[in-house]
Amino acid sequence: MDIDGYWALIEGARAHTEDLDERAEWLVEQLARRTPAQIIEFELRHAEVRKAADTWPMWGAAMLLNDGWCSDDVFWYFQAWVIGLGQQVYERATAAPDTLLDAPEVRHLASGCDDAEPPEWEILDYVANDAYERVTGEEYGLWRVLEERGIDLPRNPAPADDGIEGGQAEHARYLPRLCAAFPFAAPA
């Protein structure tokens, strides 16, 4: 599966439903119709795509969208959520995180509506493994195969040092649109 195939599945899930659990199940069903090798390729593409979102500026954006607090886990699940916003939003956001405010889901979150879902999609990280298990019957078989092949995919965020001291809060200061939209979470 190439990167276009990966994004086609993400976009297909997005078109299928707004509910993140239903999107994940749709992805599992679609992947389970493929070969184990194609499921592994999906997982590898997912890791590649995620890497571009693993930056301190994106962590600053995650902090703002998460009420001024963002742990390693929250940031990891935020990255998956941004992927779930679709390829166009994702690519713009990874280049300039302040553009996240252009996404309707982020504007809805900024509105303070009680029905706004938190900006995280943890289950996206498990769809390939779940599909692999459906196809092969082997629980955690995807992780075993990757380990046997010497492929160690990241399981936690690890942004590279970019020379700006202060981590997520300092990076959030460089996101004026998001700071204005989420003033209760913006660093002082």
Side-chain angles (χ1 to χ4, degrees):
M1 175 178 300
D2 63 10
I3 198 69
D4 292 334
Y6 172 85
W7 279 115
L9 284 169
I10 296 295
E11 297 290 354
R14 185 171 169 71
H16 178 71
T17 181
E18 290 184 19
D19 182 84
L20 294 178
D21 289 338
E22 290 176 14
R23 284 186 198 178
E25 182 54 35
W26 185 89
L27 283 167
V28 170
E29 289 172 9
Q30 297 304 308
L31 287 169
R33 295 178 183 162
R34 298 167 189 262
T35 67
Q38 290 171 318
I39 297 168
I40 291 168
E41 287 299 315
F42 177 89
E43 182 67 12
L44 296 174
R45 296 303 78 77
H46 181 62
E48 286 174 20
V49 167
R50 172 181 290 244
K51 186 175 174 81
D54 197 14
T55 66
W56 283 111
M58 284 295 284
W59 204 325
M63 185 199 81
L64 291 170
L65 273 66
N66 281 286
D67 298 327
W69 181 84
C70 189
S71 68
D72 289 1
D73 286 347
V74 169
F75 182 48
W76 193 249
Y77 307 147
F78 172 81
Q79 291 172 6
W81 181 77
V82 174
I83 290 168
L85 295 177
Q87 183 176 9
Q88 185 178 38
V89 170
Y90 173 83
E91 288 177 352
R92 283 195 331 255
T94 55
D98 221 18
T99 65
L100 275 169
L101 195 56
D102 298 332
E105 295 88 346
V106 176
R107 287 194 307 273
H108 184 70
L109 194 62
S111 74
C113 288
D114 290 338
D115 68 340
E117 295 286 329
E120 57 187 51
W121 194 17
E122 176 183 4
I123 198 166
L124 179 58
D125 292 330
Y126 305 105
V127 298
N129 186 65
D130 290 353
Y132 194 90
E133 184 177 339
R134 281 190 194 178
V135 170
T136 66
E138 185 180 351
E139 188 174 15
Y140 305 113
L142 175 67
W143 311 127
R144 181 194 54 74
V145 168
L146 292 173
E147 184 179 329
E148 286 174 357
R149 293 182 183 178
I151 299 171
D152 186 24
L153 298 178
R155 297 286 170 219
N156 291 298
D161 183 7
D162 63 3
I164 296 177
E165 297 293 324
Q168 62 190 16
E170 188 58 31
H171 283 82
R173 294 180 199 281
Y174 296 98
L175 304 170
R177 293 178 63 212
L178 288 174
C179 282
F182 296 89
F184 50 88

